[in-house]
Amino acid sequence: MVDVAGTSLTAHERKRLQHPLTGAVILFARNFESRAQLTALCNEIHAVRHPRLLIAVDHEGGRVQRFKTDGFTHLPAMQVLGELWQRDAMAATRMATACGYVLAAELRACGVDFSFTPVLDLDFGRSAVIGTRAFHWDARVAAVLAKSLIHGLLQAGMQSCGKHFPGHGYVEADSHHEIPLDDRSLEELLAADALPYDWLSETLASVMPAHVIYPKVDAQPAGFSRVWLQDILRQRFGFGGAIFSDDLAMEGATVAGDIHARARVALEAGCDMVPVCNRPDLADELLAANALMVDPVRARRIQALHPVGDAPDWSDLQADSRYRAARKLIAPFLPR
């Protein structure tokens, strides 16, 4: 999975996207000027290859939402749903479903296929990088609200990604800039942070592991660990969907070595796709080596993340009764 620099493709980016090892594109706020421009960019990316490349984005709500203007609903942070749960659990589940539907329908109307959501990290009040992105401190509440949000995504034909397995909420360090260590035991992690992944193993379409080291379980970060990805996620929890590594350009990934070593170790551990973000030089270096192979099983898992059904036209979406009802439901909770 690679990114692009601006609001349209350069000739070099087209060439990068045509490489057989490129399977997806991730968009950022820098790729957005307007809905019309975003739609044109997505059409441009989809036209590069057949089958089409998956277009993804980090679009959770709250402070992690790449597109917030020109008609996009700036969704509430997931913590807002957890707070509502404390007052009215059923209202919170309805709101979560509405948020998931609005999120997915708006993205799909502009050509975006997939969002890395929901966040399943628990709110221990320790992690600034997670913070309000987490639903709740209680794994049961987080799992129920996440399942409701996933239901909303599916209503709009979009698949889901639970992150950051087995949990990033306990560590203070930000894996974008540091290598976090979580010294809890496997038993402690399985009894709290990892529970939503067990409960939702047949619901989640994909999972993204954390660039966090749990030394009492494995010396490698979770995304580079066969213990976490094979023994626990695949075997113990029975998860059959796709596994994305977290961004290999992040500081938390450097423990595995250079970009070639990071990709190799992640894939050998059990990841199906490796994102390389904000470092086109590293993406080009990795692709130029041609040291990796396209695995048909992994390719099918990624292909299964493409949306189901026709994407709505933006104008038609605004008149759609389900969309209007969902927007009305979440309106009191939208950021001011």
Side-chain angles (χ1 to χ4, degrees), residues 19 21 260-261 263-264 267 285-294:
H19 194 289
L21 287 177
H260 303 284
R264 184 180 66 254
L267 293 168
E285 182 183 338
L286 186 58
L287 294 173
N290 279 310
L292 307 176
M293 295 179 63
V294 176

Side-chain angles (χ1 to χ4, degrees), residues 96-118:
T97 300
C99 284
Y101 178 74
V102 170
L103 182 161
E106 291 180 350
L107 287 176
R108 291 205 61 205
C110 294
V112 180
D113 302 312
F114 179 78
S115 176
F116 287 107
T117 190

Side-chain angles (χ1 to χ4, degrees), residues 150-172:
I150 291 167
H151 180 58
L153 296 176
L154 289 171
Q155 286 178 343
M158 184 175 285
Q159 302 298 330
S160 58
C161 181
K163 60 185 186 184
H164 307 82
F165 175 77
H168 200 310
Y170 190 78
V171 294
E172 295 181 17

Side-chain angles (χ1 to χ4, degrees), residues 75-89:
L75 296 162
M78 295 302 98
Q79 186 183 73
V80 172
L81 304 186
E83 292 169 347
L84 178 59
W85 174 280
Q86 299 297 114
R87 306 190 301 272
D88 188 335

Side-chain angles (χ1 to χ4, degrees), residues 62-75:
R63 62 185 171 85
V64 180
Q65 181 173 330
R66 306 307 186 200
F67 319 135
K68 304 175 184 176
T69 59
D70 197 16
F72 273 98
T73 304
H74 186 186
L75 296 162

